Amino acid sequence: MEMQRQPAAYGAFPLQSQPNAPAPVIWMPAPPAIPKCPPGLEYLSQLDHVSIQEQIELMEMISGFETCNRYEIKNSMGQMVYFAAEENDDFTLNCYGPLRSFTIKLFDSASQPVMQLSRDFQCSCCCCPCACGLQELEVQAPLGTVIGYVKQKWHPCLPKFVIQNEAREDVLRMAGPCVPCRCFEDVHFEVKALDGKSTVGTISKQWTGLAREAATDASIFGIQFPLDLDIKMKAIVIGASILLDFMFFERSGNTNRRNQRTGLHGIPGGHRNVHGIHRGRRR
Protein backbone atom coordinates (compact mmCIF):
# COMPACT_ATOMS: atom_id res chain seq x y z
CA MET A 1 0.00 0.00 0.00
CA GLU A 2 1.41 3.36 -1.03
CA MET A 3 2.25 5.72 1.81
CA GLN A 4 0.29 8.94 1.80
CA ARG A 5 2.21 11.94 0.50
CA GLN A 6 3.43 14.31 3.17
CA PRO A 7 2.03 17.87 3.30
CA ALA A 8 3.98 20.74 1.81
CA ALA A 9 6.39 22.66 4.01
CA TYR A 10 4.19 25.72 4.20
CA GLY A 11 0.48 25.73 4.86
CA ALA A 12 0.52 22.04 5.72
CA PHE A 13 -2.53 20.32 7.15
CA PRO A 14 -2.33 17.57 9.81
CA LEU A 15 -3.74 14.26 8.63
CA GLN A 16 -4.89 11.42 10.87
CA SER A 17 -2.65 9.06 8.93
CA GLN A 18 0.45 11.16 9.56
CA PRO A 19 3.37 8.79 10.25
CA ASN A 20 4.53 8.46 13.86
CA ALA A 21 1.55 10.43 15.15
CA PRO A 22 1.19 9.79 18.90
CA ALA A 23 -2.58 9.46 18.72
CA PRO A 24 -5.34 9.83 16.13
CA VAL A 25 -6.84 13.28 15.81
CA ILE A 26 -10.37 13.47 17.19
CA TRP A 27 -12.45 16.14 15.48
CA MET A 28 -15.47 17.92 16.84
CA PRO A 29 -18.66 16.64 15.12
CA ALA A 30 -19.86 19.03 12.44
CA PRO A 31 -22.94 21.00 13.55
CA PRO A 32 -25.87 21.70 11.22
CA ALA A 33 -25.66 24.64 8.84
CA ILE A 34 -26.73 28.02 10.19
CA PRO A 35 -28.40 30.62 7.96
CA LYS A 36 -26.19 33.62 7.10
CA CYS A 37 -23.24 32.03 8.88
CA PRO A 38 -19.96 31.84 6.91
CA PRO A 39 -19.50 28.19 5.93
CA GLY A 40 -17.23 26.38 8.35
CA LEU A 41 -17.85 28.73 11.29
CA GLU A 42 -20.93 26.80 12.49
CA TYR A 43 -18.71 25.09 15.07
CA LEU A 44 -18.30 28.35 16.94
CA SER A 45 -22.04 28.55 17.66
CA GLN A 46 -21.59 25.70 20.16
CA LEU A 47 -18.45 26.96 21.85
CA ASP A 48 -17.79 29.29 24.77
CA HIS A 49 -14.23 28.11 25.36
CA VAL A 50 -11.43 27.48 22.85
CA SER A 51 -7.87 26.30 23.35
CA ILE A 52 -5.17 27.27 20.84
CA GLN A 53 -1.98 25.24 21.00
CA GLU A 54 0.98 26.03 18.80
CA GLN A 55 2.75 22.94 17.54
CA ILE A 56 6.32 22.42 18.70
CA GLU A 57 8.69 22.38 15.72
CA LEU A 58 11.62 20.07 16.53
CA MET A 59 13.68 21.23 13.54
CA GLU A 60 13.31 24.81 14.69
CA MET A 61 14.48 23.89 18.18
CA ILE A 62 17.50 22.05 16.79
CA SER A 63 18.56 24.43 14.03
CA GLY A 64 17.35 27.76 15.41
CA PHE A 65 15.91 28.67 12.02
CA GLU A 66 12.38 29.97 11.89
CA THR A 67 9.65 27.73 10.48
CA CYS A 68 6.01 28.40 9.72
CA ASN A 69 3.74 28.52 12.75
CA ARG A 70 1.01 25.90 13.08
CA TYR A 71 -1.80 25.87 15.62
CA GLU A 72 -4.39 23.38 16.84
CA ILE A 73 -7.71 24.95 17.82
CA LYS A 74 -9.64 22.69 20.19
CA ASN A 75 -12.84 22.77 22.23
CA SER A 76 -13.11 22.18 25.99
CA MET A 77 -13.28 18.40 25.40
CA GLY A 78 -9.98 18.38 23.55
CA GLN A 79 -11.59 17.77 20.17
CA MET A 80 -10.00 19.48 17.19
CA VAL A 81 -12.12 22.29 15.74
CA TYR A 82 -9.65 23.80 13.27
CA PHE A 83 -6.02 23.49 12.28
CA ALA A 84 -4.20 26.71 11.44
CA ALA A 85 -1.13 26.81 9.20
CA GLU A 86 1.05 29.75 8.24
CA GLU A 87 2.07 30.20 4.61
CA ASN A 88 5.40 31.96 4.20
CA ASP A 89 8.85 31.72 2.61
CA ASP A 90 12.24 31.12 4.23
CA PHE A 91 13.52 34.62 3.53
CA THR A 92 10.57 36.34 5.22
CA LEU A 93 10.58 33.88 8.11
CA ASN A 94 14.22 34.33 9.03
CA CYS A 95 14.86 37.94 8.03
CA TYR A 96 11.84 39.62 9.60
CA GLY A 97 11.11 37.32 12.54
CA PRO A 98 8.03 38.19 14.62
CA LEU A 99 7.48 41.38 12.61
CA ARG A 100 6.98 39.44 9.38
CA SER A 101 3.92 39.63 7.22
CA PHE A 102 1.95 36.40 7.21
CA THR A 103 -1.05 34.57 5.89
CA ILE A 104 -2.57 31.90 8.12
CA LYS A 105 -5.38 29.64 6.97
CA LEU A 106 -7.70 27.70 9.26
CA PHE A 107 -8.85 24.30 8.00
CA ASP A 108 -11.76 22.10 9.09
CA SER A 109 -11.89 18.29 9.40
CA ALA A 110 -12.39 17.96 5.64
CA SER A 111 -9.15 19.87 4.97
CA GLN A 112 -11.16 22.79 3.59
CA PRO A 113 -9.99 26.35 4.38
CA VAL A 114 -12.71 28.14 6.31
CA MET A 115 -10.90 31.25 7.54
CA GLN A 116 -7.84 33.31 6.68
CA LEU A 117 -5.79 35.66 8.84
CA SER A 118 -3.38 38.11 7.23
CA ARG A 119 -1.04 40.82 8.48
CA ASP A 120 1.21 43.17 6.52
CA PHE A 121 4.74 43.92 7.58
CA GLN A 122 4.95 46.89 9.93
CA CYS A 123 8.35 48.12 11.05
CA SER A 124 8.66 49.06 14.72
CA CYS A 125 12.22 50.00 15.61
CA CYS A 126 11.76 52.39 18.54
CA CYS A 127 11.29 51.65 22.23
CA CYS A 128 7.53 52.00 21.93
CA PRO A 129 5.28 51.47 18.90
CA CYS A 130 4.79 54.56 16.77
CA ALA A 131 1.65 55.31 14.79
CA CYS A 132 3.13 53.98 11.55
CA GLY A 133 4.09 50.67 13.17
CA LEU A 134 0.76 49.73 14.72
CA GLN A 135 -0.40 46.23 13.90
CA GLU A 136 -3.56 45.26 12.03
CA LEU A 137 -4.97 41.81 11.33
CA GLU A 138 -7.53 41.13 8.60
CA VAL A 139 -9.91 38.19 9.05
CA GLN A 140 -11.67 36.54 6.11
CA ALA A 141 -14.39 33.88 6.30
CA PRO A 142 -14.78 32.34 3.82
CA LEU A 143 -11.59 33.15 1.92
CA GLY A 144 -12.05 36.33 -0.06
CA THR A 145 -14.76 37.75 2.22
CA VAL A 146 -13.60 40.10 4.98
CA ILE A 147 -15.56 39.77 8.23
CA GLY A 148 -13.50 42.07 10.42
CA TYR A 149 -10.21 43.44 11.70
CA VAL A 150 -8.09 43.54 14.83
CA LYS A 151 -6.39 46.94 15.03
CA GLN A 152 -3.76 48.03 17.54
CA LYS A 153 -4.28 51.38 19.26
CA TRP A 154 -1.31 53.48 20.31
CA HIS A 155 -0.24 53.32 23.94
CA PRO A 156 3.27 53.90 25.34
CA CYS A 157 3.46 50.65 27.32
CA LEU A 158 0.20 48.65 27.27
CA PRO A 159 -1.26 46.46 24.49
CA LYS A 160 -4.57 47.96 23.40
CA PHE A 161 -6.71 46.98 20.41
CA VAL A 162 -10.12 47.43 18.86
CA ILE A 163 -12.04 44.66 17.14
CA GLN A 164 -13.87 45.93 14.07
CA ASN A 165 -16.53 44.51 11.76
CA GLU A 166 -16.23 44.31 7.96
CA ALA A 167 -17.21 48.01 7.68
CA ARG A 168 -14.31 48.95 10.02
CA GLU A 169 -16.74 49.97 12.75
CA ASP A 170 -15.48 49.41 16.29
CA VAL A 171 -17.38 46.60 18.00
CA LEU A 172 -15.21 45.49 20.93
CA ARG A 173 -12.08 46.55 22.77
CA MET A 174 -9.19 44.40 23.90
CA ALA A 175 -6.44 45.27 26.36
CA GLY A 176 -3.79 43.52 28.38
CA PRO A 177 -1.08 44.18 30.97
CA CYS A 178 2.51 45.19 30.39
CA VAL A 179 3.67 41.80 29.14
CA PRO A 180 7.32 41.85 30.35
CA CYS A 181 6.00 42.50 33.86
CA ARG A 182 4.07 39.21 33.83
CA CYS A 183 6.89 36.67 33.92
CA PHE A 184 6.32 33.13 35.21
CA GLU A 185 2.52 33.47 35.15
CA ASP A 186 -0.46 33.51 32.82
CA VAL A 187 -1.00 36.72 30.85
CA HIS A 188 -4.64 37.78 30.48
CA PHE A 189 -6.06 40.04 27.76
CA GLU A 190 -9.62 41.20 28.39
CA VAL A 191 -12.15 41.66 25.60
CA LYS A 192 -14.65 44.33 26.58
CA ALA A 193 -17.60 46.24 25.21
CA LEU A 194 -16.91 49.64 23.69
CA ASP A 195 -17.84 51.40 26.94
CA GLY A 196 -14.92 49.59 28.57
CA LYS A 197 -17.05 48.50 31.53
CA SER A 198 -18.49 45.07 30.76
CA THR A 199 -16.12 42.18 30.02
CA VAL A 200 -17.13 40.09 27.03
CA GLY A 201 -14.34 37.53 27.03
CA THR A 202 -10.75 36.73 27.92
CA ILE A 203 -7.67 35.60 26.01
CA SER A 204 -5.13 33.98 28.33
CA LYS A 205 -1.59 33.11 27.32
CA GLN A 206 -0.83 30.20 29.63
CA TRP A 207 2.47 29.81 31.47
CA THR A 208 3.65 26.29 30.59
CA GLY A 209 6.53 25.94 33.02
CA LEU A 210 10.15 27.07 33.04
CA ALA A 211 11.51 24.03 31.17
CA ARG A 212 9.09 24.31 28.24
CA GLU A 213 9.28 28.09 28.07
CA ALA A 214 13.08 27.90 27.93
CA ALA A 215 13.16 25.18 25.29
CA THR A 216 10.45 26.40 22.92
CA ASP A 217 8.24 29.39 22.22
CA ALA A 218 5.24 27.28 21.20
CA SER A 219 2.42 29.09 22.99
CA ILE A 220 -0.83 27.85 24.48
CA PHE A 221 -3.82 30.20 24.67
CA GLY A 222 -7.19 29.76 26.34
CA ILE A 223 -10.11 31.84 25.04
CA GLN A 224 -13.43 32.38 26.77
CA PHE A 225 -16.41 34.22 25.32
CA PRO A 226 -20.21 34.10 25.74
CA LEU A 227 -21.97 31.26 23.98
CA ASP A 228 -24.33 33.73 22.30
CA LEU A 229 -21.59 36.08 21.06
CA ASP A 230 -21.84 36.79 17.35
CA ILE A 231 -20.08 34.00 15.43
CA LYS A 232 -18.03 36.44 13.38
CA MET A 233 -16.82 38.17 16.53
CA LYS A 234 -15.77 34.78 17.95
CA ALA A 235 -13.77 34.11 14.80
CA ILE A 236 -12.07 37.51 15.02
CA VAL A 237 -11.20 36.96 18.70
CA ILE A 238 -9.53 33.66 17.72
CA GLY A 239 -7.57 35.57 15.11
CA ALA A 240 -6.65 38.18 17.72
CA SER A 241 -5.02 35.52 19.91
CA ILE A 242 -2.73 34.48 17.07
CA LEU A 243 -1.81 38.11 16.43
CA LEU A 244 -0.95 38.44 20.13
CA ASP A 245 1.29 35.40 19.85
CA PHE A 246 3.30 36.98 17.03
CA MET A 247 3.50 40.36 18.72
CA PHE A 248 4.35 39.44 22.31
CA PHE A 249 5.42 35.80 22.64
CA GLU A 250 7.45 35.00 19.52
CA ARG A 251 11.20 34.73 19.71
CA SER A 252 13.14 35.07 16.47
CA GLY A 253 15.53 32.55 14.97
CA ASN A 254 18.73 34.59 15.49
CA THR A 255 18.11 34.60 19.25
CA ASN A 256 17.60 30.82 19.22
CA ARG A 257 20.90 30.34 17.39
CA ARG A 258 22.70 32.68 19.79
CA ASN A 259 21.17 30.82 22.75
CA GLN A 260 22.50 27.55 21.36
CA ARG A 261 26.05 28.99 21.31
CA THR A 262 25.84 30.52 24.79
CA GLY A 263 23.70 27.89 26.50
CA LEU A 264 20.99 30.43 27.24
CA HIS A 265 17.35 30.10 26.25
CA GLY A 266 14.24 32.17 26.01
CA ILE A 267 13.54 33.01 29.62
CA PRO A 268 10.63 35.50 29.75
CA GLY A 269 11.77 39.08 29.58
CA GLY A 270 15.23 38.15 28.35
CA HIS A 271 14.98 39.43 24.76
CA ARG A 272 15.04 42.75 23.02
CA ASN A 273 11.57 44.26 22.88
CA VAL A 274 10.98 45.06 19.21
CA HIS A 275 7.40 46.10 19.84
CA GLY A 276 8.11 48.08 22.98
CA ILE A 277 5.83 45.91 25.12
CA HIS A 278 6.52 42.26 24.35
CA ARG A 279 9.22 39.86 25.44
CA GLY A 280 9.95 38.55 21.97
CA ARG A 281 10.32 35.10 20.50
CA ARG A 282 12.23 33.26 17.75
CA ARG A 283 14.96 35.35 16.21
Side-chain angles (χ1 to χ4, degrees):
M1 178 174 163
E2 184 180 357
M3 183 177 294
Q4 185 167 358
R5 183 181 175 185
Q6 289 298 299
Y10 304 120
F13 183 82
L15 301 176
Q16 286 88 332
S17 57
Q18 187 175 6
N20 303 321
V25 177
I26 301 176
W27 289 86
M28 177 180 174
I34 300 175
K36 298 182 180 181
C37 174
L41 298 190
E42 299 91 349
Y43 296 90
L44 301 181
S45 66
Q46 302 180 0
L47 300 177
D48 59 2
H49 176 85
V50 173
S51 173
I52 300 182
Q53 302 178 17
E54 183 179 357
Q55 288 189 342
I56 296 176
E57 299 291 344
L58 294 180
M59 288 303 298
E60 183 174 305
M61 294 174 60
I62 295 172
S63 68
F65 287 95
E66 185 77 19
T67 59
C68 286
N69 288 5
R70 306 179 187 185
Y71 303 87
E72 298 176 356
I73 294 91
K74 300 181 179 181
N75 61 16
S76 59
M77 299 175 61
Q79 297 173 325
M80 186 88 81
V81 182
Y82 303 114
F83 178 76
E86 178 184 1
E87 298 178 347
N88 231 321
D89 59 83
D90 289 332
F91 178 82
T92 300
L93 286 166
N94 291 283
C95 289
Y96 296 102
L99 289 171
R100 66 185 182 266
S101 61
F102 62 75
T103 296
I104 296 177
K105 292 180 181 178
L106 277 67
F107 300 87
D108 62 12
S109 60
S111 303
Q112 296 300 311
V114 299
M115 189 161 68
Q116 177 173 292
L117 315 174
S118 58
R119 179 188 72 168
D120 293 332
F121 171 78
Q122 294 289 348
C123 181
S124 180
C125 57
C126 52
C127 62
C128 62
C130 58
C132 62
L134 296 177
Q135 303 294 306
E136 180 175 287
L137 182 78
E138 179 188 87
V139 183
Q140 298 180 6
L143 273 63
T145 302
V146 177
I147 62 171
Y149 303 87
V150 181
K151 189 172 183 178
Q152 184 184 12
K153 305 295 289 184
W154 188 88
H155 192 278
C157 59
L158 296 178
K160 290 183 178 291
F161 303 82
V162 291
I163 294 175
Q164 301 175 327
N165 60 19
E166 62 273 17
R168 290 191 175 273
E169 298 170 336
D170 295 352
V171 179
L172 298 170
R173 292 183 180 181
M174 183 174 69
C178 179
V179 176
C181 301
R182 294 295 186 271
C183 299
F184 309 106
E185 64 181 3
D186 293 355
V187 182
H188 303 290
F189 299 83
E190 290 190 335
V191 180
K192 295 188 175 185
L194 287 179
D195 58 13
K197 298 179 180 179
S198 57
T199 300
V200 175
T202 305
I203 300 175
S204 300
K205 194 279 181 183
Q206 300 173 5
W207 169 254
T208 57
L210 185 60
R212 178 184 169 115
E213 294 281 342
T216 178
D217 53 9
S219 302
I220 299 178
F221 289 85
I223 304 176
Q224 292 182 334
F225 36 51
L227 187 63
D228 59 352
L229 182 66
D230 181 80
I231 290 176
K232 293 181 181 180
M233 289 298 108
K234 289 184 179 181
I236 298 172
V237 170
I238 290 175
S241 67
I242 294 179
L243 177 63
L244 293 174
D245 184 42
F246 273 85
M247 290 181 64
F248 306 125
F249 306 104
E250 175 126 345
R251 292 197 299 269
S252 61
N254 292 333
T255 298
N256 281 352
R257 293 192 290 274
R258 184 167 63 250
N259 289 342
Q260 289 178 345
R261 293 194 299 268
T262 62
L264 300 175
H265 294 280
I267 303 301
H271 301 288
R272 182 174 62 90
N273 188 345
V274 296
H275 288 282
I277 48 178
H278 80 287
R279 66 175 176 84
R281 189 174 156 188
R282 299 177 274 216
R283 193 172 294 175

